[in-house]
Amino acid sequence: MTATETAPVDSTALPDRAESVDERQPLAELFRDLRTSPSGLSERETARRRLVYGANELTRRGGRRWPRELLDQFTQPLAILLAVAAVLAWVGGTPALSIAVVAVILLNAGFAFVQEMQAERAVEALAAFLPATALVVRDGVRGEVKARDLVPGDVLIVAEGDRVSADARIIDGDVLLDLSSLTGESLPVSRSAQAAAEAGSLLEAHDLVFSGSTCTGGEATTVVTRTGMHTELGRIAALSQRVTTERSPLERQVRRATWIIAVVAVAMGAAFLPAGLAAGLGWTAAISFSIGLIVANVPEGLLPTITLALAAGVRELARHGAVVKRLSAVETLGSTTVICTDKTGTLTENRMRVTRLWLTGQEIDATAPATANDPRARARVLASAAAACTTAEAPSDSQPHGTGDPTELALLRLADELGVPTTPAERKKNRRAVFHFDARLKRMSTLDTGGDAVGDGDAATVHTKGALETVLPGCNRFLDADGAAQTLNAEARLALQQAQDRYAASGLRVLAVAQRALEPGQSIPDDREDAESGLTLIGLVAMADPPRKGVADAVARAHQAGMRIHVVTGDYGPTAAEIARQIGIGGKNGRIVTGAELDRLTDAELDAVLSGDGEIVFARTSPEAKLRICEALRARGEVVAMTGDGVNDAPALRHADIGVAMGRSGTDVAREAATMVLTDDDFATIVVAVDAGRRVFDNVRKFVLYIFAHAVPEVVPFLVFALSGGAVPLPLSVLQILAVDLGTETLPALALGREPAEPGLMDRPPRSRTAGVIDRALLFRAWALLGSVSAALVMGAFFFTLWRAGWHSGDPTGGGTPLHHAYLQATTITFAGIVACQIGTAFAARTDRASLFTIGLRSNPLLLWGIAFELVFTAAVIYAPPAQHVFGTAALSPAQLAVIAPFPVIVWGVDELVRWFRRSRTAPVAVPVPDRLVPSVST
Ligand code: ATP
């Protein structure tokens, strides 16, 4: 059915409010009310309407959220724990400590809040990388526009895979609609222009489509009736379009670890109380030291720092063309073990060019220039049949790249080059019906009048194109060398098969083209099977779609990083295998498994196929096959990144650990189901994302190591004091500990979260799915190595300072005693020594295995700034008289400073030696890398 023609657009008399339009009135009246026509609005008119109706987007309700989020920081369990400590300190008679603890709470909450807001903003900003688009007709020309620019009256085309961007009335065609986001009903419903008028709610109307629903099949032309907050979606939900920021496994792990440490800290604080009393401290002092221990050891800032590191990863990924929708995806990416990728557009350029044509007894190089004696008459029949069977639109002035499927664009270009161009208007005029391309059937058909094959007036012709093996069963004849239709015999079938294999062997994509002229007066078949039978095969079209630049390198890097790559494609096996071979996928144990073979495999057999170390080309797969492969791989414990672009790929995308959709060529449905969207559709970006994922995880480990390491030199002084029964004065005051926690630790920790990747990051095998961020090796390095060395150094400096002043065990050092100033200097040197050791720890933590020299001292400028701040802060605490008063410090002499000056180098040097020892003991990680070029892939 075609749309009702109406009067030309009158742009002056617009309905004031979109609600005043009755979308169920007869079409002619609707067009009149909306002041539009089937050829759409003019650009100028749409600009005017945008001013009247506003942008087509949902505005978020709920007002400001930040006050609540800030408040949330104070109700965190750790903050409450610290608040209890502050109250105890107050009650225990040490108001200065109480105030300091409150300062810790405030500063931490402020920091956490700022970090979380930043993380949230980073994720929300991603929406800008993925602007929703819509296909509209304006000024009679089809074109893509941003969905937010739709206005009532726009003629909107809705096709399979699209997310509908506005409420609209169908004027032509029919679609299957998934309305689950509006009605909760998960079964798709059919909507068409021919629907009879009926009562009931708007959502039940059979000729309306709604913003927020998705089209799972068919294609329809519609006229937009409502946009933005006036749509049903806007009305029902007033949804806030926030991206989910649920806790990632990494954050959960760290949260658990934080709790364990908090419990240990509280236990330690509680244990210090009797020990302190026994060592001769009064109640007040003992309580305040217990509190100091707790505050020192509770890693309050860890979680927000991790969230921020993940968010920074998300932001960086977006800049590299990979938009992830959950923070947690960043860390999952790092442990990816298998990538299942489709071929067309991801591994290849998706810029098809027809290079060969096959007709019985004749092969034509489609790239050669036409000659005077051109034997291409039959080729024109092939090209015009193929071009008739398309919905794409060739490039034009308004759409320089054309719109639609690149396969079809290549066919339109071929027809044009052969002198049988097909214009959209002509094609539309002749078109009687379309059976859209179906990823399962792998073919498409149209019923058209006019064209070469039709002899008589209005009689229609079926045009079919698709994979040879799915078109051939519908054919009973073929065109022979003279262009006459003959019965399709075994010999012709063999010739076709051989031609396809020959083309496929050089990586060409092959399409069979067939047609059937209906008898004059014969009714148009509405059943697909009916239409696609009794066909005459015209010939084959082979097109080149070369691998993308950079993909071979990315494949090599993925192999080096211990990942396997399976190709899951709808294309013909040998074609896909050749492309795979060209870019290094496959190797010695590679094989092709076709969709039909896959269907025959039992689950156990599939497991056996996947358990080998070879890479597999799954060819001619159905979308369901993707899900099955994904499930089988996950059941084997693999972490799977799976690409997909069609509506039917959505389940597999959801099921994979990382569902990857294509930003340019993919459907909205796939993009919504995916965890990561590639804005450049490029396979290489997946490998870049894995790299980034690994780096973020590594960096989290770096700052966890850094933060954990300083606990030892903070706790040991208290232990020495307690164990000596008071014979050794306290080497560190509580407020000095707080100065470390508050002033010197935070910035370098944040900077470690931004470390560039360590060399060899992508030479390691993937991290195991179960490997925790905090493992035994990390704890050993933090506490037994870096922490212990630091503790030994600072205690050494403390005793050395006291000893130089003439102190002996048990000598009094309190206020008014001759040794008091020396004691203040000694505690100051403990404090400054801890800061010095932290600097060494920060440099050591920068690498896990590699030497610091391989990454360079200055490759993380943020860390250098962080350390500079740390030094200035420490100098202020030591030398500024008011700070001396608060923190109980005394100025250090140059000679005393010289004692602690080598500490950073010693701490880092010991760790550097241990890393060197580890590197020399363990050979470089051997990753099985599949051989690249292997001539044949078994079928
Ligand atoms: P991949 O799954 O790797 O993206 P693909 O694009 O080849 O590969 P499909 O789009 O599912 O996968 O196509 C499968 C087959 O269907 C193609 O090999 C081709 O034979 C046929 N085909 C593809 N596009 C069309 C089309 N527009 N019309 C008719 N047949 C098509």
Side-chain angles (χ1 to χ4, degrees):
M1 146 172 175
T2 48
T4 317
E5 298 295 330
T6 56
V9 174
D10 167 10
S11 63
T12 52
L14 264 182
D16 290 344
R17 296 176 59 76
E19 290 103 305
S20 60
V21 173
D22 173 11
E23 50 268 271
R24 286 198 263 196
Q25 62 189 322
L27 262 181
E29 285 160 38
L30 183 63
F31 274 116
R32 189 199 57 215
D33 281 1
L34 286 168
R35 304 276 180 261
T36 185
S37 79
S39 56
L41 301 167
S42 68
E43 282 298 340
R44 195 190 290 182
E45 177 60 19
T46 47
R48 213 175 78 73
R49 290 192 187 195
R50 259 199 305 279
L51 291 178
V52 178
Y53 295 109
N56 175 35
E57 50 195 10
L58 301 182
T59 44
R60 193 198 281 167
R61 286 227 191 120
R64 288 168 183 276
R65 282 172 298 134
W66 71 262
R68 252 210 65 194
E69 291 187 1
L70 184 59
L71 194 70
D72 279 353
Q73 302 299 340
F74 294 102
T75 51
Q76 301 284 336
L78 289 184
I80 292 173
L81 181 76
L82 293 182
V84 172
V87 171
L88 280 180
W90 189 274
V91 175
T94 46
L97 178 62
S98 177
I99 292 168
V101 175
V102 170
V104 173
I105 299 173
L106 288 177
L107 266 166
N108 270 320
F111 242 114
F113 172 70
V114 170
Q115 296 192 46
E116 280 182 10
M117 288 298 269
Q118 267 192 13
E120 203 169 284
R121 222 174 294 142
V123 177
E124 283 183 355
L126 297 178
F129 283 91
L130 292 174
T133 56
L135 190 61
V136 293
V137 180
R138 285 186 184 162
D139 288 323
V141 184
R142 264 189 194 211
E144 205 157 81
V145 296
K146 289 211 178 88
R148 69 186 299 275
D149 289 342
L150 284 179
V151 290
D154 255 329
V155 172
L156 169 73
I157 307 209
V158 176
E160 178 175 312
D162 289 350
R163 185 185 171 94
V164 182
S165 316
D167 289 3
R169 164 92 171 262
I170 300 180
I171 48 182
D172 191 14
D174 44 70
V175 284
L176 278 176
L177 217 56
D178 176 352
L179 282 169
S180 51
S181 62
L182 291 152
T183 61
E185 171 58 56
S186 58
L187 279 184
V189 291
S190 160
R191 295 285 185 259
S192 80
Q194 273 130 337
E198 73 289 330
S201 83
L202 267 191
L203 286 170
E204 286 163 15
H206 285 251
D207 51 1
L208 298 182
V209 297
F210 297 95
S211 173
S213 61
T214 47
C215 171
T216 57
E219 182 173 322
T221 308
T222 67
V223 59
V224 173
T225 53
R226 293 162 199 266
T227 56
M229 292 305 284
H230 301 301
T231 59
E232 284 300 293
L233 182 64
R235 239 187 281 208
I236 297 172
L239 276 183
S240 69
Q241 296 162 301
R242 287 186 57 193
V243 193
T244 50
T245 48
E246 93 286 12
R247 296 249 175 253
S248 74
L250 177 65
E251 288 172 291
R252 279 201 297 271
Q253 241 185 62
V254 173
R255 178 171 283 249
R256 215 180 41 226
T258 313
W259 268 110
I260 294 173
I261 293 164
V263 168
V264 171
V266 170
M268 227 152 64
F272 183 82
L273 203 60
L277 288 173
L281 284 182
W283 271 99
T284 309
I287 288 179
S288 68
F289 284 116
S290 299
I291 291 169
L293 268 183
I294 294 172
V295 177
N297 287 303
V298 170
E300 317 87 2
L302 207 53
L303 259 181
T305 312
I306 287 177
T307 310
L308 191 64
L310 291 176
V314 164
R315 213 170 350 187
E316 189 198 314
L317 278 177
R319 274 199 301 273
H320 283 104
V323 177
V324 295
K325 298 201 217 143
R326 292 196 308 256
L327 289 186
S328 58
V330 179
E331 76 178 273
T332 317
L333 270 168
S335 51
T336 304
T337 57
V338 177
I339 304 176
C340 292
T341 173
D342 47 14
K343 172 185 72 75
T344 311
T346 316
L347 299 176
T348 65
E349 288 184 346
N350 210 9
R351 253 183 280 145
M352 319 256 176
R353 169 99 207 262
V354 176
T355 55
R356 314 283 298 173
L357 301 176
W358 185 94
L359 298 148
T360 311
Q362 187 182 7
E363 269 184 76
I364 295 171
D365 178 359
T367 56
T371 53
N373 258 344
D374 201 10
R376 300 188 180 202
R378 287 171 57 214
R380 285 191 195 99
V381 177
L382 178 67
S384 89
C389 184
T390 55
T391 51
E393 292 196 2
S396 62
D397 290 343
S398 59
Q399 289 290 326
H401 302 293
T403 56
D405 183 352
T407 304
E408 297 196 347
L409 289 173
L411 296 174
L412 291 173
R413 177 173 168 186
L414 172 78
D416 195 36
E417 284 170 354
L418 289 176
V420 280
T422 302
T423 64
E426 200 183 333
R427 193 176 55 189
K428 190 169 180 217
K429 193 176 94 223
N430 293 335
R431 177 130 320 152
R432 293 294 167 267
V434 187
F435 296 106
H436 288 281
F437 173 69
D438 182 316
R440 283 189 198 86
L441 300 175
K442 301 193 176 12
R443 61 174 184 262
M444 158 175 178
S445 298
T446 56
L447 276 123
D448 313 280
T449 54
D452 287 355
V454 187
D456 195 3
D458 239 9
T461 303
V462 180
H463 292 117
T464 301
K465 69 179 191 324
L468 178 63
E469 60 268 42
T470 79
V471 173
L472 214 48
C475 299
N476 52 19
R477 297 195 296 173
F478 74 106
L479 291 188
D480 69 8
D482 301 321
Q486 304 290 345
T487 306
L488 191 64
N489 52 22
E491 194 187 336
R493 283 176 199 275
L494 184 67
L496 282 161
Q497 186 59 50
Q498 284 172 340
Q500 156 153 277
D501 284 342
R502 213 168 44 246
Y503 294 143
S506 46
L508 296 181
R509 185 177 160 87
V510 185
L511 234 63
V513 183
Q515 66 182 17
R516 167 162 68 116
L518 299 180
E519 297 298 325
Q522 188 177 345
S523 63
I524 304 261
D526 40 326
D527 175 56
R528 182 161 195 161
E529 219 171 301
D530 237 14
E532 292 173 337
S533 60
L535 299 165
T536 301
L537 196 114
I538 310 174
L540 303 178
V541 180
M543 46 188 91
D545 181 19
R548 278 169 177 271
K549 253 207 266 142
V551 163
D553 286 344
V555 166
R557 287 207 316 140
H559 285 160
Q560 188 62 28
M563 290 181 279
R564 271 190 303 161
I565 305 165
H566 300 310
V567 179
V568 186
T569 176
D571 213 339
Y572 187 48
T575 303
E578 170 56 21
I579 296 287
R581 190 193 65 79
Q582 287 175 17
I583 54 176
I585 300 176
K588 209 174 289 168
N589 301 322
R591 56 182 291 194
I592 301 175
V593 176
T594 64
E597 282 165 359
L598 183 64
D599 288 345
R600 284 197 297 272
L601 292 181
T602 62
D603 286 347
E605 285 166 339
L606 178 59
D607 286 348
V609 169
L610 292 170
S611 65
D613 60 356
E615 293 177 317
I616 302 168
V617 171
F618 290 96
R620 291 292 192 230
T621 51
S622 63
E624 291 75 23
K626 278 194 174 170
L627 185 59
R628 193 165 170 226
I629 294 165
C630 179
E631 263 174 0
L633 284 168
R634 294 199 66 204
R636 288 176 38 74
E638 308 277 8
V639 178
V640 184
M642 163 82 74
T643 71
D645 45 20
V647 175
N648 302 315
D649 292 336
L653 291 179
R654 275 196 206 98
H655 198 70
D657 296 281
I658 298 283
V660 185
M662 303 302 141
R664 288 193 195 158
S665 61
T667 57
D668 298 341
V669 173
R671 280 196 284 271
E672 261 163 43
T675 331
M676 178 163 92
V677 181
L678 305 181
T679 50
D680 54 6
D681 292 13
D682 192 345
F683 174 83
T685 308
I686 304 178
V687 182
V688 171
V690 170
D691 190 337
R694 287 189 178 190
R695 188 168 46 71
V696 170
F697 189 85
D698 256 27
N699 287 353
V700 168
R701 276 175 63 93
K702 283 172 193 166
F703 64 70
V704 170
L705 174 75
Y706 173 78
I707 288 178
F708 278 22
H710 85 285
V712 182
E714 283 183 0
V715 170
V716 165
F718 288 92
L719 289 181
V720 169
F721 165 75
L723 292 177
S724 72
V728 177
L730 252 172
L732 189 66
S733 78
V734 178
L735 284 166
Q736 284 165 1
I737 287 192
L738 293 183
V740 170
D741 267 23
L742 280 179
T744 68
E745 178 188 276
T746 318
L747 289 185
L750 280 176
L752 283 171
R754 301 291 174 86
E755 255 316 301
E758 182 170 339
L761 181 72
M762 289 294 273
D763 298 336
R764 297 183 215 150
R767 167 171 58 88
S768 137
R769 190 198 278 270
T770 50
V773 65
I774 301 169
D775 56 9
R776 227 180 301 161
L778 184 139
L779 291 181
F780 179 83
R781 197 172 161 208
W783 289 337
L785 187 65
L786 294 163
S788 300
V789 171
S790 304
L793 287 173
V794 296
M795 287 314 296
F798 171 75
F799 282 121
F800 180 71
T801 312
L802 277 183
W803 171 74
R804 284 282 300 270
W807 174 83
H808 295 96
S809 175
D811 287 354
T813 54
T817 59
L819 283 173
H820 186 59
H821 182 70
Y823 168 66
L824 289 185
Q825 282 191 321
T827 60
T828 306
I829 216 163
T830 311
F831 162 70
I834 291 179
V835 173
C837 290
Q838 271 184 317
I839 296 174
T841 303
F843 278 109
R846 290 189 60 195
T847 55
D848 186 39
R849 272 181 70 86
S851 158
L852 180 63
F853 299 116
T854 55
I855 59 167
L857 210 62
R858 287 176 301 176
S859 49
N860 185 353
L862 274 180
L863 182 65
L864 300 181
W865 282 112
I867 289 173
F869 171 80
E870 192 172 3
L871 290 176
V872 171
F873 183 86
T874 307
V877 169
I878 296 177
Y879 293 103
Q884 286 177 343
H885 181 69
V886 174
F887 293 99
T889 50
L892 295 177
S893 68
Q896 285 170 322
L897 287 179
V899 173
I900 54 169
F903 284 7
V905 181
I906 298 173
V907 173
W908 158 77
V910 170
D911 190 73
E912 186 74 37
L913 271 178
V914 173
R915 268 179 285 133
W916 169 80
F917 184 66
R918 272 177 51 214
R919 282 199 304 274
S920 61
R921 287 241 334 222
T922 48
V925 197
V927 177
V929 179
D931 294 357
R932 281 190 56 177
L933 302 179
V934 170
S936 67
V937 180
S938 67
T939 32

